[in-house]
Amino acid sequence: MVTDGQIIHKKIRLRIPRNFHQEPVISRLVSDYGLTINITAAILGANAVGDGWFELDLQGLATQIDDAINYLQDIQLEIWDENSVSDW
């Protein structure tokens, strides 16, 4: 059970398509939503030619994380979390 004001962790995997490479997507999770981000794995092709794949550990309040996930969904990025682990 999560209480108000409790810092939580959420692990996600995120695909950032090539057309978003000039957008500060991960930086916005920090600056706009106040999260602490740990990039635990990443795959980005040479010269950033293809899609980028990032495994992120999001740390913050549940509401901050929910708002950040909503932002990623609003810009239509593919996201997998621990509930969809079979798709990893």
Side-chain angles (χ1 to χ4, degrees), residues 33-82:
Y33 300 97
L35 297 178
T36 299
I37 306 290
N38 185 20
I39 301 171
T40 57
I43 301 172
L44 187 61
N47 300 320
V49 176
D51 295 346
W53 294 84
F54 297 87
E55 193 167 299
L56 306 176
D57 179 19
L58 311 177
Q59 182 180 351
L61 301 175
T63 55
Q64 292 172 305
I65 292 174
D66 291 343
D67 290 345
I69 296 293
N70 287 335
Y71 156 70
L72 296 172
Q73 291 171 335
D74 286 347
I75 62 173
Q76 300 178 344
L77 297 185
E78 290 183 66
I79 307 165
W80 295 265
D81 65 12
E82 60 273 0

